[in-house]
Amino acid sequence: LRTSEAALKDSVDEMNTFIYKISHDIKGPLSTITGIVNVALMEIADGEARHYLELIGGRADRLQRTLLDLLQ
């Protein structure tokens, strides 16, 4: 029983480390996407282009929330 508990704890620790590393690797590019979308929205007046940029920004925000949920 003790060995099973130790193995389970090791597995949970490995999973937490994996999630932390993956979320860290995704956060950088995601922040870049969000920044580019925000700059583009300040400079682009075309309504259709702005609509697509807002869609991209919304999905990036959703992915950011998902990453935060994974870390919690």
Side-chain angles (χ1 to χ4, degrees):
L1 181 65
R2 190 53 120 171
T3 304
S4 296
E5 289 176 4
L8 179 60
K9 183 187 179 316
D10 289 344
S11 293
V12 169
D13 289 345
E14 287 177 22
M15 183 179 65
N16 286 337
T17 300
F18 174 77
I19 289 171
Y20 176 79
K21 286 180 181 180
I22 292 298
S23 68
H24 182 269
D25 290 347
I26 294 172
K27 277 184 183 181
L30 185 57
S31 293
T32 300
I33 291 168
T34 300
I36 291 169
V37 166
N38 289 335
V39 169
L41 284 171
M42 288 188 290
E43 297 190 9
I44 294 176
D46 178 79
E48 188 173 356
R50 291 182 61 82
H51 172 72
Y52 288 120
L53 288 167
E54 289 167 354
L55 288 174
I56 293 168
R59 296 305 180 259
D61 289 343
R62 183 175 178 192
L63 183 54
Q64 181 68 26
R65 287 191 304 273
T66 300
L67 286 174
L68 291 174
D69 289 345
L70 279 173
L71 289 173
Q72 291 178 355

PDB file of all heavy atoms in Angstrom, residues 34-52:
ATOM      1  N   THR A  34      -1.558  37.902 -28.638  1.00  0.00           N
ATOM      2  CA  THR A  34      -2.445  38.897 -28.036  1.00  0.00           C
ATOM      3  C   THR A  34      -1.920  40.314 -28.278  1.00  0.00           C
ATOM      4  O   THR A  34      -2.688  41.224 -28.618  1.00  0.00           O
ATOM      5  CB  THR A  34      -2.595  38.630 -26.529  1.00  0.00           C
ATOM      6  OG1 THR A  34      -3.149  37.323 -26.357  1.00  0.00           O
ATOM      7  CG2 THR A  34      -3.499  39.652 -25.866  1.00  0.00           C
ATOM      8  N   GLY A  35      -0.622  40.501 -28.121  1.00  0.00           N
ATOM      9  CA  GLY A  35      -0.029  41.820 -28.353  1.00  0.00           C
ATOM     10  C   GLY A  35      -0.170  42.275 -29.788  1.00  0.00           C
ATOM     11  O   GLY A  35      -0.514  43.431 -30.062  1.00  0.00           O
ATOM     12  N   ILE A  36       0.080  41.375 -30.723  1.00  0.00           N
ATOM     13  CA  ILE A  36      -0.041  41.726 -32.142  1.00  0.00           C
ATOM     14  C   ILE A  36      -1.488  42.060 -32.494  1.00  0.00           C
ATOM     15  O   ILE A  36      -1.756  43.028 -33.216  1.00  0.00           O
ATOM     16  CB  ILE A  36       0.496  40.583 -33.027  1.00  0.00           C
ATOM     17  CG1 ILE A  36       2.011  40.473 -32.863  1.00  0.00           C
ATOM     18  CG2 ILE A  36       0.121  40.795 -34.495  1.00  0.00           C
ATOM     19  CD1 ILE A  36       2.612  39.220 -33.479  1.00  0.00           C
ATOM     20  N   VAL A  37      -2.420  41.285 -31.974  1.00  0.00           N
ATOM     21  CA  VAL A  37      -3.844  41.562 -32.219  1.00  0.00           C
ATOM     22  C   VAL A  37      -4.207  42.943 -31.676  1.00  0.00           C
ATOM     23  O   VAL A  37      -4.884  43.732 -32.351  1.00  0.00           O
ATOM     24  CB  VAL A  37      -4.740  40.466 -31.604  1.00  0.00           C
ATOM     25  CG1 VAL A  37      -6.192  40.912 -31.556  1.00  0.00           C
ATOM     26  CG2 VAL A  37      -4.614  39.171 -32.380  1.00  0.00           C
ATOM     27  N   ASN A  38      -3.757  43.269 -30.475  1.00  0.00           N
ATOM     28  CA  ASN A  38      -4.081  44.568 -29.880  1.00  0.00           C
ATOM     29  C   ASN A  38      -3.506  45.729 -30.687  1.00  0.00           C
ATOM     30  O   ASN A  38      -4.178  46.739 -30.904  1.00  0.00           O
ATOM     31  CB  ASN A  38      -3.601  44.626 -28.430  1.00  0.00           C
ATOM     32  CG  ASN A  38      -4.437  43.754 -27.526  1.00  0.00           C
ATOM     33  OD1 ASN A  38      -5.595  43.467 -27.796  1.00  0.00           O
ATOM     34  ND2 ASN A  38      -3.844  43.302 -26.439  1.00  0.00           N
ATOM     35  N   VAL A  39      -2.266  45.581 -31.147  1.00  0.00           N
ATOM     36  CA  VAL A  39      -1.659  46.628 -31.971  1.00  0.00           C
ATOM     37  C   VAL A  39      -2.415  46.760 -33.297  1.00  0.00           C
ATOM     38  O   VAL A  39      -2.712  47.866 -33.746  1.00  0.00           O
ATOM     39  CB  VAL A  39      -0.157  46.334 -32.220  1.00  0.00           C
ATOM     40  CG1 VAL A  39       0.419  47.258 -33.288  1.00  0.00           C
ATOM     41  CG2 VAL A  39       0.627  46.469 -30.922  1.00  0.00           C
ATOM     42  N   ALA A  40      -2.739  45.636 -33.907  1.00  0.00           N
ATOM     43  CA  ALA A  40      -3.466  45.671 -35.180  1.00  0.00           C
ATOM     44  C   ALA A  40      -4.827  46.340 -35.013  1.00  0.00           C
ATOM     45  O   ALA A  40      -5.254  47.113 -35.872  1.00  0.00           O
ATOM     46  CB  ALA A  40      -3.624  44.255 -35.731  1.00  0.00           C
ATOM     47  N   LEU A  41      -5.503  46.047 -33.901  1.00  0.00           N
ATOM     48  CA  LEU A  41      -6.816  46.672 -33.669  1.00  0.00           C
ATOM     49  C   LEU A  41      -6.703  48.187 -33.521  1.00  0.00           C
ATOM     50  O   LEU A  41      -7.641  48.916 -33.862  1.00  0.00           O
ATOM     51  CB  LEU A  41      -7.482  46.065 -32.431  1.00  0.00           C
ATOM     52  CG  LEU A  41      -8.082  44.681 -32.627  1.00  0.00           C
ATOM     53  CD1 LEU A  41      -8.507  44.081 -31.283  1.00  0.00           C
ATOM     54  CD2 LEU A  41      -9.258  44.724 -33.587  1.00  0.00           C
ATOM     55  N   MET A  42      -5.574  48.673 -33.035  1.00  0.00           N
ATOM     56  CA  MET A  42      -5.380  50.127 -32.910  1.00  0.00           C
ATOM     57  C   MET A  42      -5.118  50.773 -34.262  1.00  0.00           C
ATOM     58  O   MET A  42      -5.385  51.959 -34.447  1.00  0.00           O
ATOM     59  CB  MET A  42      -4.206  50.430 -31.964  1.00  0.00           C
ATOM     60  CG  MET A  42      -4.509  50.145 -30.518  1.00  0.00           C
ATOM     61  SD  MET A  42      -3.216  50.723 -29.387  1.00  0.00           S
ATOM     62  CE  MET A  42      -1.899  49.591 -29.749  1.00  0.00           C
ATOM     63  N   GLU A  43      -4.602  49.998 -35.218  1.00  0.00           N
ATOM     64  CA  GLU A  43      -4.176  50.586 -36.479  1.00  0.00           C
ATOM     65  C   GLU A  43      -5.082  50.273 -37.667  1.00  0.00           C
ATOM     66  O   GLU A  43      -4.999  50.943 -38.686  1.00  0.00           O
ATOM     67  CB  GLU A  43      -2.749  50.136 -36.794  1.00  0.00           C
ATOM     68  CG  GLU A  43      -1.761  50.632 -35.752  1.00  0.00           C
ATOM     69  CD  GLU A  43      -0.316  50.405 -36.153  1.00  0.00           C
ATOM     70  OE1 GLU A  43      -0.067  50.029 -37.301  1.00  0.00           O
ATOM     71  OE2 GLU A  43       0.543  50.626 -35.302  1.00  0.00           O
ATOM     72  N   ILE A  44      -5.917  49.259 -37.550  1.00  0.00           N
ATOM     73  CA  ILE A  44      -6.738  48.841 -38.694  1.00  0.00           C
ATOM     74  C   ILE A  44      -8.161  49.360 -38.530  1.00  0.00           C
ATOM     75  O   ILE A  44      -8.787  49.149 -37.489  1.00  0.00           O
ATOM     76  CB  ILE A  44      -6.729  47.301 -38.834  1.00  0.00           C
ATOM     77  CG1 ILE A  44      -5.309  46.846 -39.208  1.00  0.00           C
ATOM     78  CG2 ILE A  44      -7.741  46.831 -39.865  1.00  0.00           C
ATOM     79  CD1 ILE A  44      -5.133  45.364 -39.279  1.00  0.00           C
ATOM     80  N   ALA A  45      -8.659  50.011 -39.580  1.00  0.00           N
ATOM     81  CA  ALA A  45      -9.999  50.585 -39.533  1.00  0.00           C
ATOM     82  C   ALA A  45     -11.032  49.703 -40.236  1.00  0.00           C
ATOM     83  O   ALA A  45     -12.227  49.808 -39.955  1.00  0.00           O
ATOM     84  CB  ALA A  45      -9.992  51.975 -40.162  1.00  0.00           C
ATOM     85  N   ASP A  46     -10.577  48.835 -41.128  1.00  0.00           N
ATOM     86  CA  ASP A  46     -11.489  47.987 -41.889  1.00  0.00           C
ATOM     87  C   ASP A  46     -12.311  47.111 -40.948  1.00  0.00           C
ATOM     88  O   ASP A  46     -11.764  46.347 -40.150  1.00  0.00           O
ATOM     89  CB  ASP A  46     -10.681  47.119 -42.862  1.00  0.00           C
ATOM     90  CG  ASP A  46     -11.567  46.176 -43.652  1.00  0.00           C
ATOM     91  OD1 ASP A  46     -12.193  46.639 -44.631  1.00  0.00           O
ATOM     92  OD2 ASP A  46     -11.639  44.986 -43.280  1.00  0.00           O
ATOM     93  N   GLY A  47     -13.628  47.217 -41.048  1.00  0.00           N
ATOM     94  CA  GLY A  47     -14.530  46.509 -40.138  1.00  0.00           C
ATOM     95  C   GLY A  47     -14.405  44.999 -40.189  1.00  0.00           C
ATOM     96  O   GLY A  47     -14.421  44.327 -39.160  1.00  0.00           O
ATOM     97  N   GLU A  48     -14.285  44.458 -41.386  1.00  0.00           N
ATOM     98  CA  GLU A  48     -14.191  43.001 -41.512  1.00  0.00           C
ATOM     99  C   GLU A  48     -12.873  42.479 -40.927  1.00  0.00           C
ATOM    100  O   GLU A  48     -12.854  41.470 -40.220  1.00  0.00           O
ATOM    101  CB  GLU A  48     -14.307  42.585 -42.979  1.00  0.00           C
ATOM    102  CG  GLU A  48     -14.416  41.091 -43.162  1.00  0.00           C
ATOM    103  CD  GLU A  48     -14.700  40.698 -44.602  1.00  0.00           C
ATOM    104  OE1 GLU A  48     -14.893  41.583 -45.467  1.00  0.00           O
ATOM    105  OE2 GLU A  48     -14.731  39.485 -44.851  1.00  0.00           O
ATOM    106  N   ALA A  49     -11.801  43.196 -41.201  1.00  0.00           N
ATOM    107  CA  ALA A  49     -10.504  42.802 -40.652  1.00  0.00           C
ATOM    108  C   ALA A  49     -10.532  42.882 -39.128  1.00  0.00           C
ATOM    109  O   ALA A  49     -10.009  42.000 -38.438  1.00  0.00           O
ATOM    110  CB  ALA A  49      -9.397  43.687 -41.223  1.00  0.00           C
ATOM    111  N   ARG A  50     -11.143  43.929 -38.597  1.00  0.00           N
ATOM    112  CA  ARG A  50     -11.246  44.079 -37.136  1.00  0.00           C
ATOM    113  C   ARG A  50     -12.055  42.932 -36.532  1.00  0.00           C
ATOM    114  O   ARG A  50     -11.725  42.431 -35.463  1.00  0.00           O
ATOM    115  CB  ARG A  50     -11.876  45.425 -36.778  1.00  0.00           C
ATOM    116  CG  ARG A  50     -10.981  46.621 -37.093  1.00  0.00           C
ATOM    117  CD  ARG A  50     -11.635  47.925 -36.662  1.00  0.00           C
ATOM    118  NE  ARG A  50     -11.884  47.961 -35.226  1.00  0.00           N
ATOM    119  CZ  ARG A  50     -10.978  48.272 -34.302  1.00  0.00           C
ATOM    120  NH1 ARG A  50      -9.752  48.566 -34.667  1.00  0.00           N
ATOM    121  NH2 ARG A  50     -11.291  48.299 -33.034  1.00  0.00           N
ATOM    122  N   HIS A  51     -13.102  42.532 -37.234  1.00  0.00           N
ATOM    123  CA  HIS A  51     -13.927  41.417 -36.749  1.00  0.00           C
ATOM    124  C   HIS A  51     -13.079  40.156 -36.593  1.00  0.00           C
ATOM    125  O   HIS A  51     -13.146  39.478 -35.574  1.00  0.00           O
ATOM    126  CB  HIS A  51     -15.090  41.171 -37.711  1.00  0.00           C
ATOM    127  CG  HIS A  51     -15.867  39.937 -37.413  1.00  0.00           C
ATOM    128  ND1 HIS A  51     -16.704  39.830 -36.318  1.00  0.00           N
ATOM    129  CD2 HIS A  51     -15.912  38.745 -38.047  1.00  0.00           C
ATOM    130  CE1 HIS A  51     -17.226  38.611 -36.292  1.00  0.00           C
ATOM    131  NE2 HIS A  51     -16.768  37.937 -37.339  1.00  0.00           N
ATOM    132  N   TYR A  52     -12.270  39.849 -37.606  1.00  0.00           N
ATOM    133  CA  TYR A  52     -11.429  38.654 -37.536  1.00  0.00           C
ATOM    134  C   TYR A  52     -10.372  38.783 -36.443  1.00  0.00           C
ATOM    135  O   TYR A  52     -10.079  37.819 -35.727  1.00  0.00           O
ATOM    136  CB  TYR A  52     -10.783  38.365 -38.894  1.00  0.00           C
ATOM    137  CG  TYR A  52     -11.777  37.854 -39.905  1.00  0.00           C
ATOM    138  CD1 TYR A  52     -12.015  38.539 -41.080  1.00  0.00           C
ATOM    139  CD2 TYR A  52     -12.491  36.682 -39.675  1.00  0.00           C
ATOM    140  CE1 TYR A  52     -12.939  38.079 -42.004  1.00  0.00           C
ATOM    141  CE2 TYR A  52     -13.415  36.216 -40.597  1.00  0.00           C
ATOM    142  CZ  TYR A  52     -13.636  36.912 -41.749  1.00  0.00           C
ATOM    143  OH  TYR A  52     -14.556  36.450 -42.659  1.00  0.00           O
TER     144      TYR A  52
END
